[in-house]
Amino acid sequence: MAVVDITDEGVRLAARRICIVGAGAAGLAATRVFAEQNASSDPPPFDITVLERNRVIGGLWNYTDTAPCRYNVPQSTPSDIPAATDRRCPQTNSFPTPMYEHLHTNLPKDVMQFPGTPFPSDADEFPTHTQVRDYLDAYARAHVFPHKFNLQLDTEVTRIEYHPRPQAHWTCAVRNVATNTTSVLEFDAVLVCTGRVNYPLIPEIPGLRALAQTPRDCTLMHAKEYRRAQTFAGQTVLVVGAASSGTDIARQLSFTAKRVHIASADASPEAAAARDPRMTPVVGAACNPQNPLVTHLRVTRFAPDRVWFADGSHIPLPDAIVFATGYMCAFPFIDEVASLDGTHSARLTTDSQGVYDLFELLVYAFNPLLAVLGVPDKVVPFPLYEYQAAYLAHVYQGHITLPPVAEMAEQARAAVAGPDAFTMKYQQAAYMDRLIDRVGAHQSRLGHVPDHWTERWKQTVQLRKQHLGY
């Protein structure tokens, strides 16, 4: 059972039975880091279990040829998410992911890689989804599978619940998706490693709900379901969202569709001009010169026969609308979470931006035996996961004493105050350095982030243009 020591000075934890939910990049990184602590300690401090609903590792980097997704239109809050889960893709027997056929990463491989684990030299500078999937397989073979831990595939977590007495522990209800049998497991700490891109975010735009509920000749879909441009051959398509996925999908569509419109999230030309060009893809780059994109400001209203934009312009309702509007942070298997001492409970607060009340954007302030990895947005995820896991491994061994609960909650609130609360961008290196300083550099193979890493990241847009043409 977990040991919880709460004093006026802070919170000290000792958690042996570790549950890692998800075996994608975050789950693999966490498993490696915790297993390395076992390998270097006698006796090993952790008993590690990894629960993954797919029958293979790799998470979102598993491409599925079709995407039988279930979501509502619109879907802008966690309460909008349907109770039924996505269906498995019949060709691969895997759950659908956001990968599409001709996707390349939006980060150079030397920036994206796990620390000390480079991509193969023959991988593209901006790897394909297949190359990333192969990279994760190789990472697991070299750094994860040699260690002892319990991996349960085909296992979907349906509910977790904290019990402060008689000894602090979590119960984790799971369903075997192959046999539909259920069981309940028990752990001391839970690491949620399911990522940010499971539940489509489709904003509540006037007229959209009525449009979705009316029989029509216009297809409404989220980018999670997009697979290939040939599906839209000869059609007029509106892509809503001009970030990385939206601009890339629109570019591909320009070679097959009759006409492609793309609407940004900007309400004015001034707002569009104010965006950081180092983090902003170039709309229209490398498109079909015979079929250039038609660009628009933010969509403000849907009518039965047309779409209106922020500058008052409008277009006839197209054949298809693809919402490249991102994803919401949501964890339907977590309801209310009891505090460490059991005196109160609260719902884990999430929205389209992230998860609230996380100390260091990582551990739940009111019950730090729950951690959510990968919440910050606009980050390089793979190294982030290893640094976060290194911090957690030392917290759960009792090597790091956390501040008092009230202090953690206050720091968590302050960290996400203001606009773009969860957007980290180039502050990521400082964040990872802070985590590893808490651990002590001598206690981890991870050191401070080299200065050239962030500088290389800042060159992404020009490097993409150099290597991919857009």
Side-chain angles (χ1 to χ4, degrees):
M1 298 294 182
V3 175
V4 178
D5 184 16
I6 304 175
T7 67
D8 291 341
E9 286 72 37
V11 178
R12 186 172 177 270
L13 304 171
R16 175 171 178 79
R17 299 170 301 171
I18 305 297
C19 175
I20 297 173
V21 184
L28 292 173
T31 304
R32 175 189 183 179
V33 169
F34 275 73
E36 285 175 339
Q37 290 295 307
N38 280 349
S40 62
S41 305
D42 188 17
F46 300 120
D47 181 3
I48 306 163
T49 297
V50 182
L51 306 177
E52 167 58 52
R53 70 171 183 165
N54 265 316
R55 61 184 46 178
V56 292
I57 64 168
L60 71 90
W61 295 99
N62 287 298
Y63 172 76
T64 57
D65 192 57
T66 60
C69 299
R70 290 187 171 112
Y71 56 88
N72 289 314
V73 180
Q75 182 167 281
S76 57
T77 68
S79 62
D80 294 331
I81 297 171
T85 60
D86 293 341
R87 300 182 301 278
R88 288 192 190 233
C89 174
Q91 293 88 344
T92 61
N93 209 26
S94 297
F95 289 96
T97 73
M99 295 298 108
Y100 45 91
E101 189 173 70
H102 296 298
L103 178 142
H104 285 259
T105 66
N106 59 3
L107 290 166
K109 61 183 179 182
D110 58 329
V111 173
M112 183 178 183
Q113 69 182 43
F114 286 110
T117 308
F119 275 80
S121 58
D122 60 350
D124 293 359
E125 188 65 28
F126 290 81
T128 66
H129 61 75
T130 301
Q131 290 172 334
V132 178
R133 177 66 177 77
D134 291 344
Y135 172 78
L136 289 176
D137 271 348
Y139 176 85
R141 289 195 304 272
H143 303 299
V144 182
F145 291 148
H147 297 288
K148 181 181 178 181
F149 67 100
N150 177 23
L151 173 62
Q152 296 188 24
L153 300 174
D154 278 332
T155 303
E156 181 176 40
V157 176
T158 57
R159 182 178 175 84
I160 66 170
E161 187 174 359
Y162 179 70
H163 307 271
R165 298 180 185 88
Q167 291 286 335
H169 69 281
W170 294 88
T171 52
C172 185
V174 300
R175 179 179 71 92
N176 184 296
V177 296
T179 64
N180 204 34
T181 55
T182 61
S183 58
V184 177
L185 310 174
E186 192 172 295
F187 301 100
D188 299 332
V190 176
L191 280 63
V192 178
C193 297
T194 52
R196 293 180 57 100
V197 294
N198 292 304
Y199 300 102
L201 169 64
I202 301 178
E204 184 85 49
I205 300 171
L208 178 57
R209 189 177 298 272
L211 185 66
Q213 295 173 350
T214 304
R216 64 199 180 279
D217 294 326
C218 175
T219 299
L220 304 178
M221 63 181 290
H222 189 269
K224 184 176 181 180
E225 289 191 280
Y226 173 82
R227 287 297 178 267
R228 57 190 61 84
Q230 289 80 359
T231 302
F232 303 89
Q235 297 184 17
T236 298
V237 183
L238 168 63
V239 178
V240 180
S244 296
S245 293
T247 55
D248 194 30
I249 290 171
R251 179 189 61 80
Q252 294 183 13
L253 290 171
S254 72
F255 292 91
T256 63
K258 178 182 178 181
R259 199 68 168 149
V260 183
H261 299 262
I262 182 168
S264 73
D266 301 307
S268 68
E270 291 75 21
R275 286 186 290 164
D276 186 346
R278 296 169 303 181
M279 301 290 287
T280 305
V282 180
V283 177
C287 286
N288 181 355
Q290 306 303 316
N291 188 20
L293 304 185
V294 182
T295 60
H296 302 273
L297 295 175
R298 175 172 52 87
V299 175
T300 56
R301 181 165 61 93
F302 290 96
D305 61 347
R306 61 193 53 251
V307 183
W308 294 79
F309 303 98
D311 59 359
S313 63
H314 55 86
I315 61 171
L317 193 68
D319 298 307
I321 300 175
V322 180
F323 289 92
T325 42
Y327 298 81
M328 70 179 82
C329 275
F331 309 98
F333 54 88
I334 306 175
D335 194 5
E336 289 195 343
V337 179
S339 61
L340 276 177
D341 59 7
T343 57
H344 67 280
S345 62
R347 184 175 295 276
L348 187 70
T349 305
T350 68
D351 63 12
S352 60
Q353 294 190 74
V355 185
Y356 293 83
D357 299 317
L358 295 184
F359 176 66
E360 292 292 6
L361 296 171
L362 179 58
V363 295
Y364 187 49
F366 301 108
N367 188 334
L369 289 169
L370 174 67
V372 185
L373 280 74
V375 169
D377 195 17
K378 299 293 190 294
V379 294
V380 183
F382 289 7
L384 178 76
Y385 300 148
E386 283 202 351
Y387 278 79
Q388 289 186 321
Y391 177 77
L392 290 173
H394 285 266
V395 167
Y396 293 150
Q397 289 179 83
H399 296 167
I400 297 173
T401 299
L402 298 170
V405 168
E407 187 178 325
M408 284 194 285
E410 178 58 33
Q411 191 262 22
R413 284 190 290 269
V416 295
D420 298 323
F422 293 90
T423 300
M424 185 171 282
K425 293 185 180 178
Y426 305 122
Q427 297 304 309
Q428 180 177 341
Y431 170 76
M432 295 192 298
D433 285 349
R434 184 170 74 246
L435 294 182
I436 215 64
D437 283 342
R438 302 275 172 82
V439 169
H442 64 286
Q443 297 289 343
S444 172
R445 62 180 168 79
L446 301 171
H448 283 171
V449 181
D451 293 340
H452 66 79
W453 180 81
T454 299
E455 293 307 310
R456 176 74 169 172
W457 182 12
K458 291 178 179 178
Q459 299 170 16
T460 293
V461 170
Q462 68 187 69
L463 288 170
R464 273 186 70 93
K465 188 171 183 179
Q466 175 185 336
H467 290 275
L468 297 177
Y470 56 89

